[in-house]
Structure formats: C-alpha cells, structure tokens
Amino acid sequence: MVEKAFVVGLLSSTVAAATPLLLATLGEIICERSGNLNLGVEGMMLVGALTGFVAALWTGNPYVGFLVGTLSGVGMALLHAILTIELKANQVISGIMITLLGTAMTTFFGNAIDTKSIDGFSEVTIPVVGDALLQIPILGPVFFRAHMPDFLALALVPAVWYFLNRTQFGLAVVAAGEDPETADTMGIPVKFVRYAAVLIGGGFAGAAGADLSLAYANIWGAQMTDGRGWIAVALVIFASWQPLRALIGAYFFGFIDALALRSQTLISELSGTGLDSVVEFALDPSIMTMYPYLLTIIALIVISREASAKELGAPSALKEPYVREAE
Amino acid sequence: MMLPTVDVSHREESGRALDLGLPVLTVLGALFVGAIPLLALGTDPLAFYWTMLVSSPSSSNGSLRVLVKLVPLVLAGLTVYLPLKCGLINIGAEGQIYMGGIAATWAAMNVSGSSLVVLGSMVGCGMLAGGFWAAIPAYLRSKWDVNEIIVTVFMTFIAIQLNEYMIRGPLQGRTGFPSSPLFSEAAILPTVMGDTLHVGIISVPIAVAIAYLLLNRTQTGYEIRLMGSNPDAAEQAGVSKLRIFMLTMILGGLFSGLAGMIEVSAIQNKLISNFSPRYGFTAIPIALLGQNGAVRVAFAALFFAVLSVGGTDAAATYGVSNSIIDFIEASVILFLIAAEFFRRYRVDVRLRSATATGGGV
C-alpha cells in the first residue's frame, strides 16, 4: 500500500516542479497578450538560473540570487524586445536564437562553477498561522511548508489575472495585442506597452530559472532547464492565455515530473498485477518524461482541429510587429 | 546647422553585395566579440584564431576531421534550410538525427549478411525513421495548421528520451551499460584516405546537389520558393500546401536520418546517450547563415565545422576551456539576428539641414 509519507513527498515535489513552469508560463502569457511571441523562454531561464546561482554563491543569499536571476531575464528580454519591436525582426527567429544564445552563453560561463553547490532557499512557513496550517493532513506540509518562490508563483496567479483584467496598464497590454491600431488611436503607447510586457515576461522567465538553480536543484548544470521553457510556451496555449488555467496546467505537468522521479517505487508498488511489462514501459522514467510533450502535441492537434486560434483566445495581433502609419 | 538623420525603409530586394557581405560581416563580428573572453583569460586572440581558423584546419589530420564534422552539419543544415524555403521552421533536425541513429542501430543488430547488405539496410532504416519523424509535423501543419515549431521541438525531446529508453531497454548491449552492443565490422562505414575520413563524406555533395537542383531547376522548386515568399499567391496558383510541406520536411528528415545513421555507424560504432552533440540545433544558424542557397548552407556548415575542430585544438593549445567554441557560436547567432534587420531594411544616414526637417529638438 502507498504510504502517507510517499504521497506527501510526491505532492511536495509536484509543487516544487510546478513552480518554474508556472512562473515562466505566467510571464509568457503577459508577453503574448501584448502581441509578442517569445520563444526565447528556455534561453532566458538558463541565463536566470546561472546568474542567480552565481549571485547566491557570491553573496550567500538566495534572495539576492533570485533578484539577479530575474533581472538578467529582463536583460535577455530587452534584447528580444529591441530586435522584434524596434528592428521588427521576425519574432519566431529572434526567440529561437535567444534560446540558442542563452544555452551557449551559459554553457561557456557556467563551466567554471559546474561542480559547486549551494544551500539555496530553505523551506519556510507562513508567519503566525504557519504552524496551525501545517497540522492539516497531507495538504498542510505540501502547501504551507515550501520555498519562497513556490509561494510567490501561487500568489502571482491571481495577481497576473488582476493585472490583465482590472488594471489600466494590463488592459492596455491586452489592447496592444488585440488591435494595436485602435489602441494607438485611443492614445495607448503601443510600443512602450509591448516593451514593458516583453520585459516583464523575461523577468518571470529569469525568476523561473533562478528557482530551478536556487530552490529545485541547488546546483548549476549546463542545460539544466531541460525543455521547461518550451513547455511553458506550450502551456500558454494549453491555458488559452488565462492565468488561472496556467495554474492547472503547470501543476499537472509538475505532477508528471514528480511521478517520473519516483518511477522505481511506483513500478514495484504496481508489480504483480499481470501487466508488469506494460507498467514497466509506461512508468519508465524516459517514457514518463515524454508525456508532457506527447500531451501537448495531442492537445495542439485537438485545439487546432476544433477551433480557430481566435476562439482559443489568442491575441489577434500576435507575431505582428506594429508599424505606425505615416508618422 | 547640419544634423545627421537616420532613415529606415523597407527593402524591396537585397543587393548582391549585401547578400554576400552580410554573412561575412556576421562571422567577423562574432570573432570580434569572441576575443573579449580570450583577452580576459590572457590569451592572444589573434594567435588563438590563427590556430583555430588556419593552422589546425589546414593540417592534414585537421582537414580530415573538418570533413568528418562537415557531414552531419551539412545534412542537418539542409534539413532546416529546405522547409525554411517554403516558410516552415523546422527545429526538429536533432530529433530526426536521433531517430535515424536508433533505427540504424536496430538494423545493425538484426540484419546479417555482407557489409553492403548491413550498411544498406542501416542507411534505409535510418533515413526512413528520420523522414517519418519529419512527416508528422509537416502533415499536422498542412492539414490542421498545427504550429510546426512547437511540434518539431517536442518531437526532438521525445526522440532523445526514446534513445535513452532504447539503450537501457530493447537495444541495450551488456547489462548495466547504457549503450547498444558494439557494431560488427559489417555495420561500420569504411574509411578512405587513412582511418579518419569515412565514406559518408560522399553524402555531402549528393545532398547539396539534390537540394540545389530541386530548388533551382524544377517546377516544384519554384513552387516551394513561391510558397515561402508569397503563400497567398501560391495557393491561388493552385500549389498544394500538403505536397510542398511534406516534400521539403520529409526530404530534410531523410537527410538528418542519414546523419544519425552515419554518426552511430562511423563515429560511435554503437548507440549511446547524447550521441549527437547538438548538430540539429547548430543546423539552425547554419541554415539562416546560408539561407540564400544550398551551396551557401554547405559553406556555413564548413565554417561551423572549422570552428568545432580548430576551436578544440586551439583551446587545447592555449589551455582555454573548450566552451569558448560555444561562446563564439553564440556570438554568431547574436550577429545573425542583427543582420536580419539589415537584410530587410535599408538604413540611410544623411546629413541634412535641421531646419528643413522642421527643426530638431
């Protein structure tokens, strides 16, 4: 029988695995809502992971590392913003190149600290009511004793929703992504708004990377993001550009990630049912790692067949550089 | 008062000088930036670059190693280049390489007979697997408009995991070792001119010729280019999206499948984890650098092959980390993005009277 400690461990690592996905997805939602597709998330995450790790290594403070990682994500995003908004470069090519650039740069500069490890974020509880919350069976230790970025990511879900739906600036972001011409005539500075959205998205991606090296793994490793940036790009479509659905998607993929880490235990738990070879195949760690990718491809097919991208909630002007007529 | 003004306007067509000059400037810019970490490490960049670009690749052993590296880079470069011509972005060459390697290993372990039979079936299986892996995103894109970028990226990750599974499962050799058994003599591509260069090199001129002839000498090639430059006009002219997308993607997949077969057969002599050092991703800047012709893709691949072989030698000579190569590659990429702007826009800097423009601020 599966033990309670196993369930708590499984769910705790679901939270830990979901956090970087959630942060990156929320950032990409803001970015895409403004009409800019950023495929550089993976590269921005890697840069955030490395710079955050180095800063934490030097200062001994993971919070400083997290901040530095976030800011370097903004820096990478500035490059993407200049290229796509200012120089009107193809968003797809710019994004892919930024991912390749981030991978190559971090491999080069990260080489020196490949073997170092840090303490990273320690687990914290919510002040005052924390101890009481921990008493809740299973869910208490899962959700109320976690790393700072885990709480931050969860808090950002309603915050991003509120930003996009209730604040003036958020509505300007959405307007710039839906109909830049009209937004412009209404006096919204489209270019500025898009710059801001791309930079915010980059900051989220950098934070997601810093979470990986400072809370999830506590080490730096070349290409440690392992495709998570791409999963975030896919999760945006999965979530129909809605922050609340991003939460569900990120936690679902985080759960698969947590299961894959425990495949040996699961295989032995489920042995002797007469389906051993099927179970062993389906729960093989390599096969399990494929599931998010397979599911995303299937979801994309279903979505694309059933509805046009518009009905899905894609910003109408996504991928379109905005050129003002007759300045 | 005279003030310089900058005018940015859209280019109708890029001139020939720019066309040839931009890739060269891109490379020079990248080498310039690459000098910064070298200087920081106290290494003379000129001496380093001399070893990297001239003395190592021109040595008899170095030149053969460059040719060996050229094979997967040209094949993968064309895999990205061909779909790019009809407006598709295939970043799945890496996955197609892995599928080729896996299928070729399966053939090596299950086909017996003369060397010709074994190698022939390895080539056939490897190419088919690569082509199949490329056909899926092509079909999904042309039928239901499923984004090919995300599908090709994810199919690459799936292929890499499948490789991990295979070397610990169905294709595993000795228990406890995550790799296939060592191939028999019959499953290893023979070498020519010594024991560095293998016969896989003949695939380079053949693949470049196929891509060149297809694009420049056939009606289909015209349709591919039309689809890339003006999809609406192409559809009005009755060009089949399905046919064009499938053709360019599958042909590219066949090339990368072959690259995977060559890599496991000639280089590794078995299937191992991460047998491709990201050839399929390096293929993207190669295809962008050579986007105006198949022969240029080959030259771009040659540059990256020299960078890899010469860079490794220079790094060893001067005691610098090997990842300086990654850094220079990244700089090439950075300059590539910037070059895109100059390819599409014309920037005029003129001296003009400030009053004529309505007064400067």
Side-chain angles (χ1 to χ4, degrees), chain A residues 83 87-89 92 97 101 103-104 107-109 111 223 230 237 281 284 286 290 293 296 304-305, chain B residues 89 144 149-150 154 157 161-162 164-165 168 278 284 288 321 323-324 326-327 330 333 337 341 344-345:
Chain A
L83 290 166
L87 303 185
K88 299 174 185 68
V92 170
M97 288 298 144
L101 181 71
T103 310
T107 308
F108 177 74
F109 289 110
N111 203 34
Q223 294 163 49
W230 290 103
I237 306 169
F281 176 77
D284 181 276
S286 298
M290 295 178 190
Y293 308 127
T296 309
S304 305
R305 284 190 70 175
Chain B
I89 300 193
W144 301 308
I149 303 165
I150 294 186
F154 281 11
F157 295 148
Q161 291 302 326
L162 188 67
E164 293 295 317
Y165 174 73
R168 286 183 294 102
R278 299 171 59 81
I284 302 166
L288 290 173
S321 154
S323 53
I324 182 75
D326 293 310
F327 186 85
I333 293 164
I337 314 176
F341 175 72
R344 294 182 310 119
Y345 294 92

Side-chain angles (χ1 to χ4, degrees), chain A residues 178-203:
Chain A
E178 289 297 338
D179 189 348
E181 282 79 18
T182 312
D184 195 6
T185 49
M186 283 162 60
I188 293 172
V190 174
K191 213 162 136 179
F192 171 77
V193 165
R194 286 190 168 180
Y195 258 102
V198 172
L199 296 189
I200 294 171

